[in-house]
């Protein structure tokens, strides 16, 4: 019985090791990807945004408990949010809290009382070309034109129903 268990474990370990080796040799797409013939390219993940019901509590979690570097809280009245950025090295988290009664985050928090992931932000090299191209492919945007985002750069949000249920923010790099 014990020898059978050892044989099964060895076979499983052998298969797992092989899978790891195969994964190690897989290829990944280059950092800047684009549709062939396109005038714009997709870049890196800039941040993941999290809607939070209590900005001070969320900031303390990332700064005091997890030890991350966090920015000051910044009001963005044109977007109806307060933001705090959490630096992670390879990307950032953007903590979002409602600012004003018409904040889009208020509605999100009414449906998700504890908060949660709100959107992802991906960099593009030319937001104007990206938006025009995506609109020509029937990808809806949440505003007619790009607006200036939290980093002082043009941004555009893509409709989640056209992006597999994910609210996608494009930011010009």
């Amino acid at each position: 019985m014990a020898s059978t268990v050892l044989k099964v474990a060895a076979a499983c370990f052998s298969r797992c090791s092989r899978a790891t080796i195969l994964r190690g040799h897989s290829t990944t797409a280059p950092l800047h990807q684009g549709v062939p013939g396109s005038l714009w390219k997709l870049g890196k993940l800039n941040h993941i945004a999290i809607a939070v019901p209590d900005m001070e509590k969320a900031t303390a979690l990332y700064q005091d408990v997890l030890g991350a570097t966090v920015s000051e809280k910044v009001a963005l009245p044109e977007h109806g949010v307060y933001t705090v950025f959490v630096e992670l090295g390879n990307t950032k988290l953007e903590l979002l809290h409602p600012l004003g009664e018409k904040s889009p985050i208020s509605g999100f928090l009414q449906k998700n009382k504890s908060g949660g992931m709100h959107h992802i932000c991906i960099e593009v090299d030319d937001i104007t070309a990206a938006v025009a191209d995506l609109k020509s492919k029937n990808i809806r945007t949440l505003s007619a034109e790009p607006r200036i985002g939290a980093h002082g750069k043009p941004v555009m949000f893509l409709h989640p129903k056209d992006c597999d249920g994910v609210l996608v923010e494009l930011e010009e790099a």
Side-chain angles (χ1 to χ4, degrees), residues 1 27 49 60 64 79 82 84 91 99 122 126 129 143 164 169 171:
M1 175 73 174
T27 59
D64 302 335
H79 291 277
Y82 289 103
V84 169
T91 194
L99 170 62
I122 303 171
D126 183 340
S143 61
D164 297 317
E169 177 185 20
E171 178 179 282

Side-chain angles (χ1 to χ4, degrees), residues 12-122:
C12 180
F13 178 75
S14 174
R15 279 193 300 266
C16 292
S17 295
R18 237 187 335 244
T20 301
I21 291 169
L22 290 175
R23 254 183 256 127
H25 293 307
S26 68
T27 59
T28 57
L31 180 60
H32 290 282
Q33 307 173 65
V35 177
S38 179
L39 298 176
W40 64 279
K41 292 188 180 174
L42 195 63
K44 68 178 184 170
L45 175 68
N46 184 283
H47 65 266
I48 298 171
I50 302 170
V52 298
D54 183 334
M55 183 64 91
E56 287 70 28
K57 182 179 174 187
T59 301
L61 169 68
Y62 289 100
Q63 184 174 31
D64 302 335
V65 177
L66 298 175
T69 300
V70 301
S71 71
E72 295 296 317
K73 180 167 79 171
V74 175
L76 297 174
E78 63 278 8
H79 291 277
V81 297
Y82 289 103
T83 65
V84 169
F85 281 93
V86 179
E87 295 293 331
L88 298 178
N90 62 341
T91 194
K92 296 176 283 294
L93 298 178
E94 179 184 34
L95 305 180
L96 299 171
H97 186 74
L99 170 62
E101 294 176 13
K102 295 184 180 180
S103 172
I105 300 304
S106 292
F108 182 91
L109 289 173
Q110 286 174 1
K111 296 175 191 168
N112 305 280
K113 301 289 184 205
S114 299
M117 192 185 98
H118 184 260
H119 69 267
I120 64 169
C121 177
I122 303 171

Side-chain angles (χ1 to χ4, degrees), residues 106-158:
S106 292
F108 182 91
L109 289 173
Q110 286 174 1
K111 296 175 191 168
N112 305 280
K113 301 289 184 205
S114 299
M117 192 185 98
H118 184 260
H119 69 267
I120 64 169
C121 177
I122 303 171
E123 295 178 358
V124 295
D125 65 345
D126 183 340
I127 194 134
T128 304
V131 169
D133 184 46
L134 292 168
K135 283 182 176 182
S136 77
K137 294 174 180 167
N138 297 318
I139 302 294
R140 292 172 287 174
T141 59
L142 298 188
S143 61
E145 298 294 325
R147 299 187 304 176
I148 299 302
H151 296 116
K153 298 177 179 181
V155 299
M156 177 62 81
F157 285 89
L158 306 179

